[in-house]
Amino acid sequence: MKNFGNGHRANRAVLNDRAASGRLENLHRAGRAVPDDLAASGRLDSRGYILVVTFLFLVILTIMVGTLSFMAVHETRDMGAQIEDTQMLYLSEAGVERAMREIKDDYTTSTQTGEAEIRGEDTSDSSSVGNDNRIRYEEDGNATINNNSDEARLQTFDANYTNTRIVTVLLGVRASRASGGTGATIEVSYTTNGAFPEAGNTVLTQALTTTLTNYEVNITADRVWTWDTIMSSNLILRARRTAGNRNINLDYLYLKVTYGIDTNTEPWFTGSYQAYPLSLGKGTIQSVSIIAEQGKVHLNTASQAFLRYLMQEYGIASGTADDVASNIVDYRDSNPFDSVEELQQVTGMTNAIYTAIKDDVTVYSYINTYAQGPEEARAPVNINTASRQVLEAIFDPLTFNNSSDITDLADAIIAQRNTAPFTCFYSSNSAVTTDFYDFVRAQSYLSNSEDDRVLGNADASLLVPRQGGSDEDAETTEFSYDSGAFKVESLSDIAGRRFRIKTILGHTGNKTFTNFDGDTSSIGYRQENYE
């Protein structure tokens, strides 16, 4: 029994060992299963990460491709717009260049010219000449030269044409002799250095008849004639007797100058020099306008009265116009105007007033620094291109018997210039019908005193309108017959998009001109804008 018990215990031990062994095997198997599960889980996590990263990469790539495509499309559009902008710029430039050529051609070829007798005012250096002041005018009586040693001298000449291009210059005299005896020979000479004799400048030796006759000699080729030379105090004309024993009746001593003028019948003004729109390449030059600045009121020289009346012509109340005109003068005293737009900075200048007058004012027109009266250094107004409002504003400061006379005079000027533009202030030649002097004298509604006031203020010289007449020191300005600068606007178009250039050109067609203080290096302003 003891052995049985021992065997039983032995069997139980075996069973226990087997059970333990089974448990160990199970534990071993379980131990192997745990890392496998962890590995499988890791493999799953790695695959998900890759998918997420790949998705994000694709999203980013899609965004980048879209952005690049968007940028490429818009870059292409922008490049196309830039090319189009450049093309419009060049089209507008072409319009400006066409205007430049037209202005230059008009200046150099003198499509229209004027001719005037440049009268002298100063006869004080004459020697032993009877009534020497009479040589300033024609047909107002004669000066007399009785001896060979007597000399009639004339200087200080008309300043009405000093911005024009000189074409020809003649020296003229109107004279006769007393009857009987051995006759009389007149010698006419000139000097540009203020002293006689000046070699080679005795230009006329003429035996006289008993009939007053005009004798003229062309002196254009003597030198390069400029207005600086003509207006110099060193230019003196001289007449004297060199042979014979009879008295010389000297009626008139003068220069006669032919010069280029600018009028409202010329192609640059009417636009007939070129038809627009003009197709060029992919676009068109829609329009080109050329406007003469000399037909406007200069902001830096016009008197307060002149500026006031200009505003009143546009319906601005007298009190308001007077205040604004005063403010304009005060403003420019310390800060001369550089542009018309600057006018908007003046105290009291409203948008309504500015809009009304802006096209009739300028800072670019020629200023006549040689003007002798009534006031010096005035900007003359071209009678052939000025607006009705500017014309009437010029006459407003003068005293008229009837206010309707001003309107009538402006009407008559406009009617005259539309068919036969004015060419000069004065001509003694009865065949010349385009001088302002004879035109005014022909206006029957004007009295003699009104004639004198109009002519006195339209004349830049010290000469009175007529011998025995009177001058008028009014705050207005004289007339001119040419232009100192032009405003050019050129508009281009491509597929409905428009580009405009505005610029100022000198009267020779270049981009420089003389500004308000005499500086000849000024360059015209330029503005560019899309429309």
Side-chain angles (χ1 to χ4, degrees):
M1 290 295 292
K2 184 181 293 186
N3 289 336
F4 176 80
N6 290 335
H8 180 71
R9 284 195 293 275
N11 289 334
R12 286 172 54 193
V14 171
L15 291 171
N16 289 336
D17 289 340
R18 288 176 178 175
S21 176
R23 287 195 296 272
L24 288 173
E25 181 67 21
N26 290 336
L27 288 173
H28 177 69
R29 289 174 181 169
R32 287 206 319 265
V34 169
D36 288 345
D37 290 343
L38 290 173
S41 176
R43 286 193 297 274
L44 289 173
D45 289 346
S46 176
R47 291 169 185 167
Y49 175 77
I50 291 171
L51 287 173
V52 171
V53 171
T54 301
F55 175 76
L56 292 175
F57 175 76
L58 290 173
V59 170
I60 293 171
L61 183 61
T62 300
I63 293 172
M64 290 178 64
V65 170
T67 301
L68 290 173
S69 298
F70 178 83
M71 291 175 63
V73 170
H74 282 269
E75 185 71 22
T76 301
R77 291 178 180 174
D78 289 345
M79 185 176 296
Q82 289 177 7
I83 293 173
E84 195 172 85
D85 289 348
T86 303
Q87 291 172 335
M88 287 194 296
L89 171 63
Y90 287 159
L91 281 170
S92 293
E93 286 277 13
V96 171
E97 293 291 332
R98 182 66 184 89
M100 289 175 65
R101 178 156 61 90
E102 180 62 23
I103 294 169
K104 181 179 181 180
D105 288 349
D106 178 73
Y107 182 81
T108 57
T109 60
S110 297
T111 55
Q112 292 196 35
T113 60
E115 181 182 85
E117 291 158 15
I118 310 301
R119 303 163 299 157
E121 190 273 336
D122 185 358
T123 63
S124 61
D125 284 343
S126 298
S127 175
S128 300
V129 175
N131 296 313
D132 60 278
N133 63 311
R134 292 180 178 176
I135 67 174
R136 300 179 300 170
Y137 302 91
E138 181 180 356
E139 297 178 350
D140 65 331
N142 305 318
T144 57
I145 299 177
N146 301 327
N147 302 290
N148 290 353
S149 60
D150 298 344
E151 294 184 353
R153 294 193 181 193
L154 185 66
Q155 60 194 100
T156 310
F157 295 93
D158 276 358
N160 290 296
Y161 317 98
T162 57
N163 194 47
T164 58
R165 182 177 74 90
I166 295 173
V167 179
T168 60
V169 179
L170 282 69
L171 191 156
V173 62
R174 180 176 173 84
S176 66
R177 65 169 175 83
S179 61
T182 58
T185 297
I186 191 170
E187 175 194 271
V188 181
S189 58
Y190 74 91
T191 177
T192 57
N193 64 16
F196 289 101
E198 183 176 346
N201 287 343
T202 296
V203 295
L204 176 65
T205 301
Q206 178 67 50
L208 300 176
T209 69
T210 56
T211 301
L212 278 171
T213 304
N214 286 71
Y215 303 98
E216 296 176 346
V217 59
N218 193 323
I219 58 174
T220 306
D222 283 8
R223 63 189 66 245
V224 177
W225 287 97
T226 67
W227 286 109
D228 286 340
T229 300
I230 294 174
M231 299 311 299
S232 170
S233 60
N234 288 325
L235 175 64
I236 304 172
L237 308 186
R238 182 181 70 174
R240 63 181 182 171
R241 192 180 72 185
T242 58
N245 63 5
R246 308 314 294 165
N247 292 347
I248 289 178
N249 300 314
L250 182 57
D251 181 40
Y252 193 30
L253 193 58
Y254 59 96
L255 291 175
K256 181 180 286 186
V257 178
T258 302
Y259 45 83
I261 63 173
D262 297 309
T263 77
N264 65 343
T265 61
E266 293 181 290
W268 65 264
F269 188 95
T270 62
S272 59
Y273 68 92
Q274 179 71 64
Y276 296 102
L278 177 63
S279 295
L280 290 175
K282 296 181 179 179
T284 59
I285 302 176
Q286 284 294 111
S287 63
V288 176
S289 64
I290 303 175
I291 301 172
E293 293 295 287
Q294 205 66 44
K296 303 178 181 181
V297 179
H298 203 300
L299 288 174
N300 288 319
T301 66
S303 68
Q304 180 179 340
F306 194 5
L307 292 166
R308 180 181 78 245
Y309 282 118
L310 177 64
M311 285 183 268
Q312 288 183 221
E313 288 296 331
Y314 281 100
I316 309 303
S318 176
T320 301
D322 190 54
D323 289 342
V324 175
S326 177
N327 293 339
I328 291 173
V329 174
D330 290 342
Y331 182 96
R332 77 187 187 201
D333 283 345
S334 58
N335 185 31
F337 290 96
D338 293 317
S339 68
V340 171
E341 288 78 8
E342 193 178 349
L343 193 61
Q344 297 172 92
Q345 302 301 315
V346 172
T347 301
M349 179 60 64
T350 65
N351 184 62
I353 298 175
Y354 176 74
T355 300
I357 69 171
K358 65 181 178 65
D359 292 333
D360 274 331
V361 294
T362 184
V363 296
Y364 302 109
S365 62
Y366 166 74
I367 295 176
N368 187 3
T369 57
Y370 296 109
Q372 300 157 350
E375 296 176 341
E376 296 181 355
R378 304 192 299 180
V381 170
N382 189 337
I383 191 173
N384 291 312
T385 61
S387 70
R388 169 184 293 278
Q389 288 78 11
V390 171
L391 291 174
E392 293 194 12
I394 288 174
F395 300 132
D396 278 329
L398 309 180
T399 304
F400 280 81
N401 298 331
N402 191 329
S403 60
S404 65
D405 291 348
I406 295 175
T407 302
D408 291 341
L409 184 56
D411 286 340
I413 288 173
I414 292 171
Q416 166 82 15
R417 73 188 189 185
N418 286 341
T419 55
F422 295 92
T423 60
C424 62
F425 174 75
Y426 174 81
S427 175
S428 64
N429 185 350
S430 59
V432 175
T433 60
T434 54
D435 63 305
F436 186 64
Y437 182 96
D438 286 327
F439 166 83
V440 171
R441 294 293 184 213
Q443 305 306 307
S444 59
Y445 50 87
L446 297 179
S447 66
N448 284 340
S449 62
E450 289 176 329
D451 286 352
D452 287 345
R453 285 192 290 274
V454 171
L455 293 172
N457 286 280
D459 188 358
S461 77
L462 291 172
L463 295 162
V464 297
R466 61 180 175 184
Q467 188 70 3
S470 60
D471 204 349
E472 176 76 11
D473 189 12
E475 296 181 345
T476 178
T477 193
E478 69 269 12
F479 286 124
S480 67
Y481 309 89
D482 70 314
S483 290
F486 296 88
K487 181 180 180 180
V488 173
E489 295 190 21
S490 177
L491 177 66
S492 63
D493 181 284
I494 295 180
R497 295 183 68 223
R498 294 191 168 190
F499 186 79
R500 185 184 299 271
I501 290 178
K502 300 178 182 180
T503 189
I504 295 291
L505 301 177
H507 67 328
T508 60
N510 59 23
K511 296 179 181 178
T512 61
F513 56 93
T514 303
N515 70 5
F516 71 93
D517 61 1
D519 179 10
T520 57
S521 63
S522 299
I523 297 178
Y525 88 99
R526 175 176 170 135
Q527 293 179 343
E528 301 174 354
N529 63 282
Y530 293 95
E531 297 184 358

